[in-house]
Each structure stands twice: as C-alpha cells, then as structure tokens.
Amino acid sequence: MAARIEPIVGRYVHLTLGGRSCRVYFEEAGHGIPLLCLHTAGSDGRQFRHLMNDAAVTDHFRVIAFDLPWHGKSTPPVGWEDEEYRLTTAAYVEAVMTFSRALELDRPVVMGCSMGGRIVLQLALEHAAELGAVIGLEAADHQTPWYDTEWLHRPDVHGGEVCAALVSGLVGAPAPDEHRWETLWGYMQSGPGVFKGDLYFYRVDSDFRDRVAGIDTRACPVHLLTGSYDFSCTPEDTLRTAATIKGAEAAIMNELGHFPMSENPARFREYILPVLEKVRAARA
Amino acid sequence: MIDRLPGLVNGDAALVRRGRFLTCDFLVEVGDVAYHVSVEQGRIASVTLGPASMRPWRFAIRAVEEAWREFWQPVPRPGYHDLFALTRFGHARIEGDLLPLMANLRYIKEVLETPRRLARSA
C-alpha cells in the first residue's frame, strides 16, 4: 500500500461519570507501560499524536489519550443543551480514574498538560497506589489569572476565534508554523463555553498550594516539565511547586511554550525521552 | 515602527481580509509618544502622531519603548513575545472598550506584530 497509515487507533468506551452515561473517545498506539495522556483545557487528545507516532516512545509505552466529555469526539452527556459546563477537581479525578479502570490499565504513568498537569498532582495525592508515576507538563499547584474568562463565551465575540487568539502567544516563539497553527486549530474547534468551563477547574477549583507537600514521590514519582515561553504556567510557578514536593523532579524546556507536545514535537522529545527513560528504569 | 503599519498591513491581503469587519480607531503608546491608528475594514487608513486632544479612540495599548523594541525582535524572548505576555508581566497596559479588540483579537495581535518582518528582512 502506497499511502502512509499511522499506527494510531481510535475507539469509543462508555463510562458512567457523575452518575451519567458518557461516550468517550480515545486513541492509542504502542505497547508496554501504559502512558495515559491528558489534553489541555479547551482542546482534545489529538495534541499527543506526535508521541503516538514516535517509535522511541511506542516501542516501550502504550500511549493512550482520551477526550474528556464535551471535548473532541467525546459527546457531552444527554441534557447538555440546558446546562453550563463546569469542570471540577472531583469530576476530573473521577474521569481519569474511571477511564483507567475501565481499560484495566496497570499502574499507568499519567501525563497531563496545563490543566492536565494540574490534575496529575491531585491524582498523585489521592491515587498513588494505582499509578506508576505522573508527568506534569506546564504544571503548577496554582497560577495567577491573566485574563477575564467572560470573553470566551458570549454572542458578540466568536468563541473559537477568541479562544485561539487568547492562547496563541502561549505557543513558544520558535515553534514551527505548521505545528503552531495545528495547535491553535484545536482551540478553534472547541464547543461553545467548553474552554471557559475547563478554566472553572483551572482558575477556581484547583488551588493545590496547601496540599501538594503531601504527595509521596516514593509511592508515585513526580516529573514536571515547563516551557520557557509559557507565561500562563510560568517556569517560576513550576519550580515553586517542585520545591514544595519532596523528591519531585523539574526541568525548564528552552524554546517551548504551553503546548510542548503539539507545538514543537521535535524539541519536546529532547526533553520527554529522558524522563520516559527514567520512568522505565524505575519500573524495571 | 507604528508609523510603518499602513505599508506592513495593507499589502498583506490575508491580514486585511482577517480584519474586514473592523472599522475603528485605537491608540498605541510607545513610551510618551501616542499614535492614533485608524482601521477601515481591515486596512490601516492612517496613523497619526499625537498628541491629538479631543480625538476619540475605542481602546489603547500602552507600553514603554524598551518593551516594544523587545516585542518587535524577529524571535522575541520569553515574556516579550505576545501582547498578553507583555500585560501579564506589567510591561504593557490595555485600556478602554475591549469589545472591538477581543472580537478581532487575532487581527489586532498580528497587526502589532508586523514590524517583526522588518527585522527579518533587514
């Protein structure tokens, strides 16, 4: 066959979340240690497609990314048309753990970016025994808000356009245009109010500064990686968080911004492959 | 640099098209120097050097000269690479009626970034 077909396979799983039935889309590629990937606010699991096409990763890891309900190809639960979507810490933890258990993942390494990087801290705190390790990309226990989320969902401003334009500067300046614009396309495609609803978790319901010191990194190792161009979760935010968690490892990634895996995959693998190597060594 | 906007923007058909629903005046301050930028359907109709008292504008973007200089580098360094990075770190302020700015955010950000092309082509 002449055409290039990627090794990524996508399927749907039915989960009960918050007492409601949810049809959840996930993609995966590779074999080995489960590496469960969590997308950023207002986007979806496609952000991890480069990792899923990287044999240096998939030879050793089963890379899995699911779209949260309301995101990507996962549908919102029945009745969504009359409600305001708001993600909470409890609902986010429930979604990740329910998905992991449904797929019977054995101590998955959970890697999340941005709000996904925030929630892995809570997962490490609550569910260390079930997890192999956590990797927080653009992760911190808290961040200072830098814009009014009311702009994200209103009839006189196009939601997709403004969501992408707001986050466009979070992409590192050196990012290749192809990957910069594909990353922003994800934001342009998000459903009305979904990015704003995710930011309810990120801005309002997830100040973890008073609890991350309780993470036991011997039970669940913590790795944090943040891009130098990220002014949302700044390098200082990440380093402050790492300093609070005994045994946590942190590194700052030059040239990268808030979406390392999708905005600049070639540069990102220079930073993530050594971390994945450590995860493998610790598990062997 | 702001006085170069008509040439930088109006020759860029994609950028003009992106701003085709925007007609408004806004203010850009580079240190103490104010520029009134007049946009008509995505084209920069005029840039007028201030001060121009009694001349209205919808929103203003103010930053010190050093911040703009860093912002207009071909590959700006972290913290100076985006309009909101400038505001987040206190290098710039945005004031006034933000609706035309937010409704045309990609356009406005790209208009302000066009001087980077001068450094790239120099």
Side-chain angles (χ1 to χ4, degrees):
Chain A
M1 189 183 300
R4 175 182 170 229
I5 296 181
E6 298 184 12
I8 301 173
V9 173
R11 303 185 74 180
Y12 292 88
V13 61
H14 290 256
L15 306 176
T16 300
L17 299 173
R20 305 162 83 185
S21 177
C22 292
R23 182 172 184 254
V24 170
Y25 179 72
F26 68 100
E27 294 181 341
E28 65 171 291
H31 302 278
I33 301 168
L35 177 61
L36 180 54
C37 301
L38 309 179
H39 58 75
T40 63
S43 191
D44 60 61
R46 283 175 293 177
Q47 292 176 320
F48 294 96
R49 75 174 177 93
H50 301 286
L51 279 183
M52 292 188 190
N53 276 293
D54 188 340
V57 177
T58 54
D59 282 351
H60 306 288
F61 290 87
R62 177 185 174 195
V63 187
I64 310 159
F66 71 97
D67 298 343
L68 277 171
W70 300 78
H71 298 70
K73 293 170 83 169
S74 295
T75 39
V78 171
W80 66 269
E81 64 274 17
D82 284 327
E83 58 188 86
E84 181 182 0
Y85 167 68
R86 274 187 170 182
L87 185 64
T88 62
T89 295
Y92 201 177
V93 168
E94 182 194 16
V96 176
M97 296 310 297
T98 302
F99 178 84
S100 177
R101 290 165 188 156
L103 267 68
E104 300 179 332
L105 304 182
D106 176 24
R107 289 174 300 129
V109 177
V110 184
M111 176 166 74
C113 186
S114 183
M115 73 165 187
R118 177 80 51 82
I119 202 65
V120 301
L121 300 174
Q122 183 68 22
L123 292 168
L125 195 63
E126 276 187 61
H127 297 288
E130 282 188 70
L131 305 178
V134 298
I135 302 171
L137 308 174
E138 318 309 317
D141 51 11
H142 175 260
Q143 65 162 205
T144 311
W146 52 277
Y147 64 90
D148 182 351
T149 59
E150 286 298 319
W151 289 108
L152 300 177
H153 189 204
R154 48 190 283 165
D156 52 357
V157 176
H158 188 288
E161 296 274 14
V162 76
C163 289
L166 262 167
V167 303
S168 67
L170 296 179
V171 177
D177 278 344
E178 172 190 354
H179 301 305
R180 169 190 306 278
W181 287 105
E182 184 178 311
T183 298
L184 296 175
W185 182 247
Y187 277 81
M188 293 174 181
Q189 289 191 307
S190 188
V194 172
F195 185 31
K196 186 184 176 205
D198 284 341
L199 292 179
Y200 179 81
F201 159 74
Y202 202 46
R203 294 275 188 85
V204 180
D205 195 43
S206 65
D207 185 343
F208 295 163
R209 284 176 291 188
D210 62 345
R211 63 182 83 164
V212 293
I215 295 173
D216 180 358
T217 58
R218 290 164 304 178
C220 180
V222 174
H223 300 270
L224 304 179
L225 292 169
T226 289
S228 59
Y229 275 93
D230 192 343
F231 63 87
S232 181
C233 173
T234 66
E236 291 73 24
D237 290 329
T238 297
L239 296 174
R240 180 200 68 237
T241 303
T244 313
I245 306 169
K246 189 180 176 189
E249 296 194 19
I252 303 308
M253 303 183 285
N254 287 328
E255 299 193 9
L256 289 162
H258 194 70
F259 315 96
M261 61 285 173
S262 66
E263 70 173 59
N264 200 338
R267 183 70 66 225
F268 177 57
R269 75 193 296 279
E270 294 175 14
Y271 291 97
I272 194 62
L273 289 180
V275 171
L276 293 177
E277 187 60 46
K278 273 187 197 172
V279 167
R280 281 177 62 208
R283 195 152 169 135
Chain B
M1 286 292 192
I2 295 296
D3 54 349
R4 308 279 294 270
L5 288 184
L8 287 165
V9 173
N10 296 344
D12 184 336
L15 185 52
V16 170
R17 181 181 161 277
R18 203 133 51 236
R20 66 195 180 281
F21 294 109
L22 181 64
T23 294
C24 88
D25 286 10
F26 63 95
L27 191 73
V28 178
E29 278 189 7
V30 181
D32 296 332
V33 183
Y35 297 88
H36 287 256
V37 181
S38 184
V39 177
E40 287 182 11
Q41 296 180 324
R43 293 176 56 83
I44 307 295
S46 64
V47 175
T48 309
L49 183 62
S53 59
M54 305 296 287
R55 181 168 178 157
W57 41 264
R58 294 284 297 278
F59 59 89
I61 300 170
R62 311 175 198 271
V64 296
E65 189 177 357
E66 172 65 17
W68 285 117
R69 190 161 47 235
E70 292 289 343
F71 182 79
W72 286 323
Q73 292 297 312
V75 182
R77 59 192 174 98
Y80 292 91
H81 62 290
D82 178 75
L83 177 61
F84 292 120
L86 293 180
T87 59
R88 165 98 202 239
F89 296 122
H91 305 307
R93 284 177 298 141
I94 302 173
E95 293 164 359
D97 177 7
L98 300 196
L99 183 57
L101 170 69
M102 299 305 283
N104 297 274
L105 187 56
R106 180 179 165 193
Y107 170 78
I108 296 288
K109 285 174 81 168
E110 290 182 0
V111 164
L112 294 173
E113 290 168 7
T114 53
R116 290 176 187 167
R117 298 175 190 173
L118 296 172
R120 282 180 191 141
S121 59

